[in-house]
Amino acid sequence: MERITKAQKIMDVKQPLVSIALCTYNGEKFLAKQLDSILNQDYPNVEIIISDDLSNDGTAAILEDYAAKNRNIKFWINDSNLGFNQNFKKAINNCVGDFIAIADQDDIWLENKITLLIKNIGDDLLIYHDSEFIDDQDVPTGKSTLSHHRFVKGNCSKNLLYYNCVSGHTCLFKKELLKLIQNFPSGLYYDWWLAYTAACTGKISYLTDKLVRHRKHTESSTSKDKIEAKSLRKMHLNLFLSHPLTPKKLKEFIQSLLIGYDELNRNTFSLKLFTLLLTNFTSLYYIRKRSVFSLLKIMYRESKSN
């Protein structure tokens, strides 16, 4: 018997369709809880688009069961493993709604998440929110995204050069944002690229509401990441430099930063890079909540050759 969710019971065709892009990979442990929380949204008009990246556990069986009971779920299994970025790109490209929200496979959504984001997005292209961190047992850790980061909005592309405070699972964006993005480049997370693109237009905002219980555990995709090396930093800067929407003055600033990094190929320390970082630290390091002393150490290490 097909399940009728809370959202379907109060369906209102006047509400714009929100597509929820969910990517899965070996997510059987927490997937059912996440799907239940999405299906329990009080927003009345959603579709759930799921791209499974060739899982080898019980994920596919869970998806088949939920899709059979919920007509607003569509899913497929990739022929080969695409990886994190490209799998999300595939899911997003298959969304038909005017608005798209991103979902991780192991979180728990509050039931008013979509309603609040739709209500507050206004003229912005992208809106994001705070998340409460939980562990493997669903126990809150006492921390949230805002425990470690500051949020940014409006014309904030410079703030996003070194750090990203916009996690994919917190985002709701208008489909028109995708027209401004040629591709999701490798070497940079798709959510950072989405946020930077929206920031270049000045149409990005946030809510401080904790609308997701975000699971922090050793098996998550991002928990396995290592601290960025300078080579990766340079790659990011070059990607931002090549972005067609990057403002002219910011491009000139990025070029100066890259010249400073290039000096490290010849010298043990780049005074140019250190000076640029120091004189712009209120913008470049605004997102990351660290003491001034800690930031000075970071900038000094960044300006030294490895």
Side-chain angles (χ1 to χ4, degrees):
M1 182 176 182
E2 187 178 52
R3 175 182 175 185
I4 303 299
T5 67
K6 177 188 293 187
Q8 291 165 345
K9 288 178 182 178
I10 58 174
M11 178 66 72
D12 181 353
V13 294
K14 294 180 181 179
Q15 295 282 354
L17 176 65
V18 174
S19 298
I20 298 171
L22 169 62
C23 289
T24 58
Y25 179 70
N26 291 348
E28 64 177 359
K29 187 174 181 180
F30 304 109
L31 181 56
K33 286 184 178 180
Q34 171 66 311
L35 288 172
D36 287 340
S37 74
I38 294 174
L39 290 166
N40 199 44
Q41 288 295 294
D42 62 15
Y43 186 81
N45 194 12
V46 300
E47 66 167 6
I48 306 169
I49 305 299
I50 306 173
S51 181
D52 182 71
D53 211 16
L54 205 61
S55 295
N56 52 34
D57 64 354
T59 295
I62 295 171
L63 294 176
E64 288 172 359
D65 180 60
Y66 272 80
K69 298 174 182 177
N70 298 276
R71 59 178 179 267
N72 58 341
I73 291 179
K74 302 172 185 177
F75 89 96
W76 60 84
I77 299 172
N78 296 330
D79 294 331
S80 60
N81 186 278
L82 299 179
F84 188 76
N85 263 19
Q86 293 306 309
N87 197 30
F88 265 108
K89 177 188 175 185
K90 185 174 182 179
I92 290 170
N93 285 345
N94 278 277
C95 292
V96 301
D98 292 329
F99 296 87
I100 299 172
I102 306 295
D104 288 344
Q105 66 182 358
D106 46 11
D107 293 337
I108 301 173
W109 284 18
L110 274 65
E111 67 176 13
N112 62 342
K113 169 184 161 80
I114 295 298
T115 295
L116 282 178
L117 293 176
I118 285 288
K119 180 180 178 181
N120 287 278
I121 193 168
D123 293 329
D124 290 312
L125 288 174
L126 184 149
I127 189 170
Y128 62 104
H129 60 77
D130 195 14
S131 293
E132 178 186 39
F133 296 163
I134 60 174
D135 64 16
D136 287 8
Q137 306 302 315
D138 298 352
V139 177
T141 66
K143 302 288 186 180
S144 75
T145 307
L146 280 172
S147 299
H148 307 285
H149 294 84
R150 296 182 182 91
F151 285 172
V152 293
K153 63 181 179 178
N155 294 297
C156 57
S157 50
K158 189 175 182 180
N159 298 127
L160 291 165
L161 292 180
Y162 274 62
Y163 294 102
N164 178 37
C165 58
V166 184
S167 298
H169 76 272
T170 71
C171 290
L172 174 82
F173 59 91
K174 295 176 181 175
K175 194 170 186 179
E176 61 192 87
L177 177 61
L178 299 178
K179 298 176 182 178
L180 306 178
I181 299 173
Q182 295 178 339
N183 205 341
F184 292 133
S186 60
L188 184 74
Y189 285 126
Y190 76 94
D191 47 13
W192 198 345
W193 195 244
L194 281 169
Y196 181 81
T197 302
C200 286
T201 70
K203 294 184 177 183
I204 180 173
S205 190
Y206 62 82
L207 298 177
T208 57
D209 304 65
K210 299 179 181 67
L211 300 180
V212 166
R213 303 181 73 198
H214 180 56
R215 200 177 303 278
K216 305 289 284 187
H217 59 93
T218 55
E219 296 304 314
S220 66
S221 298
T222 54
S223 69
K224 300 176 184 178
D225 295 339
K226 297 180 180 179
I227 297 174
E228 294 177 330
K230 289 187 181 69
S231 58
L232 187 57
R233 182 84 72 195
K234 289 174 62 177
M235 181 193 303
H236 290 173
L237 290 173
N238 275 297
L239 288 171
F240 295 138
L241 182 64
S242 67
H243 197 298
L245 294 182
T246 298
K248 181 180 179 181
K249 287 186 177 180
L250 187 58
K251 282 191 175 187
E252 293 171 353
F253 176 67
I254 294 172
Q255 289 171 333
S256 297
L257 285 172
L258 289 170
I259 290 172
Y261 279 105
D262 287 342
E263 285 185 358
L264 296 178
N265 296 326
R266 303 180 298 276
N267 305 315
T268 58
F269 186 81
S270 172
L271 181 60
K272 178 181 180 62
L273 179 58
F274 182 74
T275 302
L276 284 170
L277 296 177
L278 184 62
T279 55
N280 291 274
F281 86 96
T282 55
S283 297
L284 298 178
Y285 295 95
Y286 173 78
I287 286 174
R288 194 66 185 270
K289 289 183 176 178
R290 302 290 287 270
S291 68
V292 174
F293 179 70
S294 176
L295 291 177
L296 283 171
K297 290 197 297 183
I298 291 173
M299 288 182 282
Y300 178 75
R301 287 196 301 266
E302 191 76 8
S303 304
K304 290 178 60 179
S305 60
N306 293 331

